[in-house]
């Protein structure tokens, strides 16, 4: 399903501002995500009717919440990341938010690898490249210290979703 242009524009604005906040302050404020959820609900209620449009937006929001709930409970994702994915789900629906999550997860994994390699010394980087199992030992500690700005990864995933199309 192709996404309507207002939903694409709103998600682009949401991801752009959220990524800037996440890169600079390492948090995504509620005054960005909560109004975006309401705007997504309102948009679909107006364009598709209160019942079907609201249901479409609620299902997308719930899917966005559920996709990041386990990483949030394990403290690998922050609450702002969960609310950002839920807000984008209110615009994109279930299929769109799942595709966004898949693309964003790949981008986040690449970002995490870059952070690990740049945080490691040159010898540890060589050790990680020769023995990838050492990556599993160093992964939790390095990511906990620096954190992955997941809003930037989701923004990259959103761009990939728009250009490459849906995966599922």
């Amino acid at each position: 399903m192709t996404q309507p242009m207002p939903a694409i524009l709103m998600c682009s604005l949401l991801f752009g501002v959220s990524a800037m906040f996440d890169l600079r302050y390492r948090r995504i404020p509620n005054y960005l995500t909560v109004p975006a959820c309401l705007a997504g609900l309102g948009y679909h209620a107006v364009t598709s009717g209160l019942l079907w449009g609201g249901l479409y937006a609620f299902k997308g929001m719930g899917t966005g919440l559920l996709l990041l709930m386990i990483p949030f409970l394990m403290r690998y994702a922050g609450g702002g990341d969960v609310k950002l994915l839920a807000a984008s789900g209110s615009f994109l629906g279930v299929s769109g938010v799942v595709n966004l999550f898949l693309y964003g997860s790949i981008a986040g994994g690449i970002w995490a690898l870059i952070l690990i390699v740049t945080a490691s010394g040159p010898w540890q980087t060589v050790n990680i490249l020769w023995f990838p199992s050492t990556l599993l030992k160093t992964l939790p500690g390095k990511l906990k210290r620096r954190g992955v700005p997941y809003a930037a990864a989701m923004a990259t995933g959103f761009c990939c979703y728009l250009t490459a199309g849906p995966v599922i």
Side-chain angles (χ1 to χ4, degrees), residues 28-120:
I28 303 166
N30 287 338
Y31 59 80
L32 290 177
T33 55
V34 173
C37 285
L38 296 175
L41 285 168
Y43 169 74
H44 285 293
V46 168
T47 58
S48 301
L50 187 60
L51 178 65
W52 297 113
L55 187 61
Y56 179 84
F58 267 120
K59 287 192 315 188
M61 235 173 24
T63 303
L65 281 170
L66 288 175
L67 285 172
L68 277 182
M69 191 53 63
I70 291 175
F72 172 72
L73 293 174
M74 295 176 65
R75 297 188 181 180
Y76 287 116
D81 300 326
V82 177
K83 289 179 274 188
L84 178 63
L85 196 61
S88 62
S90 72
F91 281 104
L92 302 176
V94 173
S95 174
V97 78
V98 168
N99 283 296
L100 170 65
F101 176 73
L102 292 174
Y103 282 119
S105 295
I106 292 169
I110 293 169
W111 192 293
L113 264 167
I114 290 169
L115 284 176
I116 289 169
V117 168
T118 56
S120 304

Side-chain angles (χ1 to χ4, degrees), residues 15 18-28 76-78 81 84 104 107-109 111-112 115 143 146-156:
F15 283 125
S18 297
M20 287 190 301
F21 268 96
D22 203 13
L23 287 169
R24 181 160 181 159
Y25 302 110
R26 291 291 200 247
R27 63 182 308 270
I28 303 166
Y76 287 116
D81 300 326
L84 178 63
W111 192 293
L115 284 176
L143 289 183
R146 296 189 66 190
V148 176
Y150 196 59
M154 282 195 279
T156 305

Side-chain angles (χ1 to χ4, degrees), residues 116 119-130 134 137-138 142:
I116 289 169
S120 304
W123 291 111
Q124 190 167 5
T125 302
V126 170
N127 191 24
I128 289 171
L129 292 174
W130 280 104
T134 59
K137 294 176 190 170
T138 61
K142 293 201 183 292

